[in-house]
Amino acid sequence: MEQKLFIYNTLSRTKELFVPLHAPNVGMYVCGPTVYGDPHLGHARPAITFDIVFRYLQHLGYKVRYVRNITDVGHLEHDADEGDDKIEKKARLEKLEPMEIAQHYTNTYHAAMERLNVLPPSIEPHATGHIIEQEELVKQILANGYAYESNGSVYFDIERYNKDHRYGILSGRNLDDVINNSRELDGVGEKRNQADFALWKHAQPEHIMRWPSPWGEGFPGWHCECTAMGRKYLGDHFDIHGGGMDLVFPHHECEIAQAVASQGDEMVHYWMHNNMITIDGQKMGKSLGNFITLEQFFTGNHSGLEKAYSPMTIRFFILSAHYRSPVDFSNEALQAGEKGLERLFNGIAELERIHTAETSDEAVKQFVGGLRAKCYEAMNDDFQTQVVISYLFEACRQVNTLVDGKAHISATDLKELSEVLHLFTFDLLGLKSEQGNNNALREEAYGKVVDMVLDLRAKAKAEKDWAISDRIRDELSAAGFEVKDTKDGATWKLNKG
């Protein structure tokens, strides 16, 4: 069946029918990490959010070119135009080359994404690999009169741009007020207005990362890379640009201004933004020092964690809320996610135990017949993953009823039920079985149960109840457990295979 997908567009503040510019091809650009520290939970949310978009668009039959960048130069402290480059500062602290820092944290980001089952993008361009494209962008903006040079740096002229266009169209900010309030600062520093942002920064003598340009040696402003690389790989106009909602202003607002100032119109059709993950209501991030790295979640090695949480638990936790809703971290919420994920996987495993009948009960037939359409409806409504999960839980309840023999299902309906559960759980939500963890937990449970049974056997032997003692040993043997009596008591092992 043909699916009509609606996407919430931050630019229009409404849900819009998704109509690609060049169907069946879709271009999607998502802001990736600035690689100067270990990836944390705040990095996981946009990666997982747009992994869902990527998976679903491909499932609908689109050929998606997914571009997710690596920022390895130009992102200064506090997202401003002053201060140290974040990567360069880290390099000085650790006495390493900036590219060593960038490479190391790119590697750790990739490793974490793989564990979260986030598909790699089609193209992953680095800012440092596209200096020429960024310089060309700056030249175009200068030629069109929307930028000015100052002491070897180039700044975007907000006031000039605002006369012809509207700066603030994405964030809803009124920049007239900002510009008027900044007039008293005119002539202070290099900028004409405090609202102006850097397109190219002059490199001070101590600055390691620097490139030649028509304006002298320097480096590109943070906002340039995404406009330049998006245009290079997706063209002057493309379908989706995504990222965290903390990027709406100033980063994405500046991207829109750069595109319009350089080519005369906007590049992006749909702007998508995921909401933040918070701790006690405050955004989780490196700059605030309140973040927990993904590796710490996986190992449990952090004072704020009660235990370790598996990558799929993290993924399930994030997908249990709509991507535009805030998610507040707590151990309770993660443990609830862990139980929910186990419940879902157990339900899918139980499918194998269902005995089919010639016909399905009417209630079962209706439920199974409508399940696929309901899941699609939720996905088509701006990727309502939390609603899909609720339907999958309903399906698991139905599975339990069928396993208990309290309802009947035909082979055809069972096949449909199984297909829907597998499609949405594994293919579209991107969850996967963590069999190694499950095996470890299962064997630990085996151990406790067998030890308890052997204690009962020891008690029977002490009471000279040889029949019970032998029966316990024989039953364990039949179940695959080898029991040996020693002078220190009974030992056992599980005969695998």
Side-chain angles (χ1 to χ4, degrees):
M1 75 183 89
E2 184 180 350
Q3 304 295 335
K4 288 190 174 182
L5 170 63
F6 286 82
I7 292 176
Y8 183 86
N9 190 346
T10 308
L11 190 63
S12 66
R13 292 166 180 74
T14 58
K15 289 179 188 176
E16 298 179 11
L17 178 66
F18 180 64
V19 182
L21 294 168
H22 307 290
N25 298 301
V26 171
M28 180 169 75
Y29 188 101
V30 175
C31 290
T34 301
V35 282
Y36 70 105
D38 287 315
H40 56 73
L41 195 60
H43 291 117
R45 193 169 197 194
I48 291 170
T49 295
F50 292 100
D51 183 57
I52 295 296
V53 177
F54 186 32
R55 287 171 182 269
Y56 193 60
L57 289 174
Q58 289 187 115
H59 173 70
L60 294 183
Y62 294 115
K63 184 179 180 181
V64 185
R65 179 176 289 173
Y66 175 18
V67 181
R68 187 186 67 207
N69 70 297
I70 295 289
T71 297
D72 53 2
V73 69
H75 196 166
L76 304 187
E77 290 183 290
H78 315 302
D79 300 346
D81 287 333
E82 304 300 331
D84 287 335
D85 181 292
K86 293 183 177 185
I87 292 168
E88 196 167 294
K89 180 179 180 181
K90 185 81 169 181
R92 279 199 297 271
L93 287 172
E94 300 195 11
K95 295 182 172 56
L96 295 170
E97 281 287 333
M99 284 300 99
E100 285 184 274
I101 295 295
Q103 187 65 58
H104 172 75
Y105 290 114
T106 298
N107 293 345
T108 60
Y109 177 77
H110 285 157
M113 294 304 105
E114 185 174 355
R115 294 186 71 180
L116 291 169
N117 204 26
V118 170
L119 299 174
S122 316
I123 302 173
E124 191 175 56
H126 291 233
T128 53
H130 296 79
I131 299 298
I132 293 172
E133 288 84 355
Q134 293 175 78
E135 288 185 5
E136 287 302 311
L137 173 67
V138 177
K139 288 177 188 176
Q140 290 169 354
I141 296 172
L142 273 167
N144 290 337
Y146 293 113
Y148 57 90
E149 188 179 349
S150 178
N151 297 332
S153 295
V154 180
Y155 293 97
F156 192 94
D157 193 334
I158 291 287
E159 189 167 29
R160 173 70 180 84
Y161 179 83
N162 233 35
K163 288 177 180 176
D164 301 330
H165 309 284
R166 183 190 161 201
Y167 183 84
I169 193 171
L170 185 67
S171 62
R173 299 191 181 211
N174 183 352
L175 261 291
D176 287 338
D177 293 340
V178 177
I179 290 170
N180 290 333
N181 291 337
S182 69
R183 285 187 188 282
E184 61 193 53
L185 298 172
D186 282 1
V188 178
E190 297 179 342
K191 299 181 183 182
R192 293 176 184 171
N193 283 302
Q194 293 304 104
D196 295 347
F197 60 90
L199 297 172
W200 184 265
K201 285 288 287 182
H202 171 69
Q204 299 300 321
E206 68 276 9
H207 205 94
I208 305 169
M209 301 172 79
R210 57 206 296 146
W211 290 265
S213 80
W215 317 286
E217 286 204 343
F219 55 93
W222 172 37
H223 312 302
C224 285
E225 61 178 290
C226 292
T227 304
M229 294 190 295
R231 178 183 293 164
K232 180 179 177 67
Y233 296 110
L234 300 174
D236 291 348
H237 305 96
F238 58 89
D239 298 297
I240 297 171
H241 194 318
M245 67 181 303
D246 57 330
L247 298 178
V248 171
F249 188 90
H251 187 49
H252 290 165
E253 195 74 77
C254 293
E255 279 195 60
I256 290 177
Q258 289 171 161
V260 174
S262 61
Q263 69 183 39
D265 60 359
E266 294 182 35
M267 294 171 62
V268 179
H269 191 176
Y270 303 91
W271 285 91
M272 294 183 67
H273 294 93
N274 63 274
N275 214 317
M276 298 294 97
I277 291 181
T278 58
I279 297 181
D280 298 325
Q282 188 178 39
K283 174 197 164 187
M284 179 183 288
K286 289 191 183 75
S287 59
L288 298 170
N290 65 348
F291 66 95
I292 302 174
T293 70
L294 290 171
E295 185 62 27
Q296 287 169 330
F297 274 104
F298 301 156
T299 61
N301 186 25
H302 188 279
S303 59
L305 298 174
E306 294 177 3
K307 55 178 289 188
Y309 299 98
S310 75
M312 285 304 102
T313 297
I314 299 296
R315 187 176 179 105
F316 187 83
F317 165 69
I318 288 172
L319 294 178
S320 295
H322 187 242
Y323 77 89
R324 288 192 289 112
S325 300
V327 173
D328 198 51
F329 157 79
S330 69
N331 281 280
E332 292 76 17
L334 276 170
Q335 286 164 28
E338 188 174 55
K339 290 177 182 174
L341 181 64
E342 183 181 10
R343 180 176 153 204
L344 179 57
F345 283 166
N346 285 344
I348 292 172
E350 289 287 274
L351 284 165
E352 297 179 5
R353 296 182 56 206
I354 295 174
H355 297 289
T356 58
E358 285 190 18
T359 59
S360 299
D361 295 344
E362 188 57 34
V364 172
K365 191 172 189 65
Q366 285 190 4
F367 174 80
V368 174
L371 180 61
R372 186 185 294 261
K374 286 164 67 176
C375 289
Y376 273 127
E377 183 182 7
M379 288 298 285
N380 290 334
D381 183 18
D382 194 34
F383 308 97
Q384 300 274 353
T385 55
Q386 81 287 2
V387 176
V388 172
I389 288 171
S390 73
Y391 292 146
L392 297 179
F393 280 160
E394 285 182 27
C396 289
R397 283 195 291 272
Q398 190 73 67
V399 167
N400 292 333
T401 302
L402 292 164
V403 168
D404 292 342
K406 296 176 181 176
H408 303 91
I409 189 169
S410 69
T412 301
D413 285 341
L414 178 59
K415 181 172 180 287
E416 170 67 5
L417 179 61
S418 178
E419 282 182 2
V420 173
L421 272 166
H422 281 82
L423 169 65
F424 284 91
T425 301
F426 301 120
D427 297 346
L428 299 183
L429 295 185
L431 298 166
K432 66 178 181 180
S433 174
E434 294 169 307
Q435 198 61 46
N437 292 343
N438 291 341
N439 284 342
L441 291 170
R442 191 177 292 118
E443 290 188 18
E444 183 182 352
Y446 284 157
K448 290 179 180 178
V449 171
V450 174
D451 287 344
M452 180 183 70
V453 171
L454 288 178
D455 284 345
L456 294 174
R457 180 171 178 263
K459 185 178 179 183
K461 288 179 72 175
E463 295 173 353
K464 295 184 168 47
D465 191 341
W466 310 118
I468 291 292
S469 170
D470 291 346
R471 183 182 172 191
I472 290 174
R473 182 195 61 207
D474 293 343
E475 292 282 357
L476 285 172
S477 177
F481 295 92
E482 183 180 329
V483 177
K484 287 187 177 179
D485 291 308
T486 70
K487 61 183 177 63
D488 297 319
T491 63
W492 65 271
K493 69 176 181 177
L494 176 61
N495 290 321
K496 298 179 182 180

